[in-house]
Each structure stands twice: as C-alpha cells, then as structure tokens.
Amino acid sequence: MKCLVLAAGYATRLYPLTENFPKPLLEVNGKRILNWLLEDVDKIETVDEHIIVSNHKFVDQFEEWKSHCGLRHPIRIIDDGSTENANRLGAVMDIAFAVKQLRIEDDLLVLAGDNLLDFSLEGFVKYFYKKSSTCVMRHYEPELTKLQRTGVAVLDAEDKIVRMEEKPKEPPSNWAVPPFYIYKEKDLKKIQEGINTGCNTDAPGSFISWLCGQCDIYAYEMPGQRYDIGDLKSYQTVQETFQKHP
C-alpha cells in the first residue's frame, strides 16, 4: 500500500500565514501538520511509501522538509505544475496525476494534508483489508451547515455506501465523509473515467460519489476526532486543543 497526501492547495483563507508557505508544513504544538499525519502512517507495516503531491510554488519547501522529516519509509514529492490558486488542478485531478505520473499499481491510502486526527489510522487500514474493498471514513455530524460543506453518505446495515452526495443542500443523513480514503488498486483505474463523466475535480468526495455507483464502498466510523484546518480561527483552535491534550 502507498500513502498519498494531497498538499497542492494554496490555503488562501489562511493568508498571510500561507501566502508563501504550504499549510501542511505549519506547526501545531511544535510539530508540523504533515508530521502529525505521517509519523502515524509510517508505523503501519503494510504502507511502504509516502507520496506528497505539491504545487510548483511550494515543491522546494516540501523537498527541504523531506530531507530531515525522519520517516522510515521512502518519500516522493511530485509537482503538479500549478502556480497559483486560479490554475490549481483540484484534489481528484491531483490523485489522477499521481497515479499516472508514478504508475501506481497498488492500493492507495489518500489523506488531506491539512487535517489532524487524535487517533491512529491503523484501524482504518485493518478495516480496509477486512472489507477488501475501497473504503472511506465517516463521522456523525449533527450540524446542518457543516454537512452542507462536505460529502454525506447513506449506509446500509453492513456499512456499505448506498449513495453519497457532495455538499448537499438537503443532507440525506448525518454521516459526514472527510477526505480520507483507501482505494483498491483496481478502482484507481476508474479515476479518469469518473473525471470524463464530469465529476467535480476540486472536491475529492465527488469522485467517491460517482464511484459508489460502480463498485462496493464501505465507510469506517472514526474512533476519535478530526480537525480540519481551513482558516485562521480553526488553526488557532487546533493549536489550543493540542496544547491542552498533546
């Protein structure tokens, strides 16, 4: 299994902090966001490589981070060629770019590089092998406005996604799906087909929404909290949270 981190965004809502610095390399309680994520993944025996998708503006900073990050598995940094927010590829296109560029023929753990978790991803990986199918993570979200800004899934009794909607005006359930996925190798080959059908390439959940109509996808219930660092206020909140409960 490979681990792919989506880190090619421009984080305009965090300016001026991220105007000339990539969000995944910001520090939370003395450690970079990317290290919080990958130091956990690095302990999972079935993961044998980390891949970071950067934009052209920040690729050198990720290469510098790579030189002293201390992870045991090999790391590859790839440049998606975008230079500013206006010409960014979007999450789905970045996954497709990495798969094609690196000729990935393996199961793929995909992580958003601007999120923090207070639990290990090892349970998610074990769930994936148990189901032997593409999987997503899910958590119960009571707030309507938050459901309207994310993917929302409807599940059957076996946790299989019956249908999923990306950023629905009228959410069909309270199961929110954050950008953490594990794709079976065979399903990676369907990404370009999904793009060709017109799925929103900027929102990673839009491809999952399309894919659940093509194959079985299961949703793992998160055993803890996820912290999405989207703006200055949320960054301050997560700083305070991790300082109190490191």
Side-chain angles (χ1 to χ4, degrees):
M1 179 182 290
K2 312 293 185 192
C3 174
L4 175 68
V5 179
L6 298 170
Y10 290 86
T12 56
R13 290 186 294 154
L14 269 166
Y15 280 12
L17 284 179
T18 53
E19 191 166 4
N20 294 295
F21 194 77
K23 180 164 54 167
L25 296 185
L26 291 175
E27 289 192 357
V28 172
N29 198 24
K31 185 186 294 188
R32 300 192 189 277
I33 295 170
L34 201 49
N35 283 85
W36 280 110
L37 281 172
L38 291 185
E39 286 176 11
D40 171 52
V41 176
D42 206 46
K43 299 172 185 175
I44 301 174
E45 291 301 323
T46 50
V47 176
D48 58 16
E49 183 178 27
H50 307 297
I51 301 161
I52 316 296
V53 185
S54 172
N55 56 52
H56 187 68
K57 182 177 181 179
F58 295 138
V59 67
D60 290 341
Q61 296 187 57
F62 282 107
E63 288 287 358
E64 169 63 20
W65 165 83
K66 172 185 170 180
S67 68
H68 54 74
C69 66
L71 300 177
R72 66 189 180 101
H73 290 313
I75 304 166
R76 281 197 274 186
I77 314 293
I78 60 173
D79 178 358
D80 76 355
S82 72
T83 55
E84 59 184 356
N85 195 57
N87 64 16
R88 69 189 186 279
L89 300 189
V92 178
M93 289 290 287
D94 274 332
I95 297 171
F97 172 76
V99 170
K100 182 178 181 180
Q101 180 86 358
L102 302 180
R103 299 179 181 179
I104 296 173
E105 295 183 349
D106 204 344
D107 300 326
L108 189 66
L109 169 63
V110 177
L111 310 176
D114 59 356
N115 281 233
L116 287 176
L117 306 171
D118 66 1
F119 59 93
S120 173
L121 286 160
E122 186 174 11
F124 184 36
V125 172
K126 288 180 178 179
Y127 180 86
F128 165 77
Y129 284 117
K130 178 182 177 181
K131 293 295 187 181
S132 190
S133 188
T134 290
C135 294
V136 304
M137 292 209 297
R138 62 181 165 106
H139 65 89
Y140 185 85
E141 178 52 65
E143 293 187 32
L144 175 62
T145 55
K146 290 183 178 181
L147 289 168
Q148 291 172 330
R149 297 197 301 266
T150 189
V152 179
V154 177
L155 312 175
D156 69 10
E158 302 299 321
D159 296 337
K160 186 173 77 173
I161 298 179
V162 176
R163 65 186 174 96
M164 178 171 152
E165 296 182 35
E166 184 69 14
K167 299 180 180 179
K169 290 184 179 179
E170 297 182 6
S173 80
N174 290 96
W175 289 119
V177 179
F180 292 86
Y181 318 112
I182 307 180
Y183 291 102
K184 287 287 288 184
E185 183 271 332
K186 64 180 179 64
D187 293 336
L188 288 177
K189 299 174 182 177
K190 298 183 175 76
I191 291 180
Q192 192 58 53
E193 183 183 349
I195 292 170
N196 293 342
T197 63
C199 73
N200 181 351
T201 56
D202 198 38
S206 63
F207 174 63
I208 290 289
S209 298
W210 176 82
L211 187 62
C212 69
Q214 314 296 314
C215 59
D216 291 344
I217 298 179
Y218 292 89
Y220 169 78
E221 186 170 1
M222 291 165 47
Q225 296 293 316
R226 163 232 180 189
Y227 302 90
D228 180 12
I229 302 170
D231 54 25
L232 291 168
K233 182 179 179 181
S234 60
Y235 181 46
Q236 181 181 0
T237 298
V238 79
Q239 287 271 38
E240 293 170 353
T241 300
F242 273 64
Q243 286 170 2
K244 291 178 181 177
H245 306 286

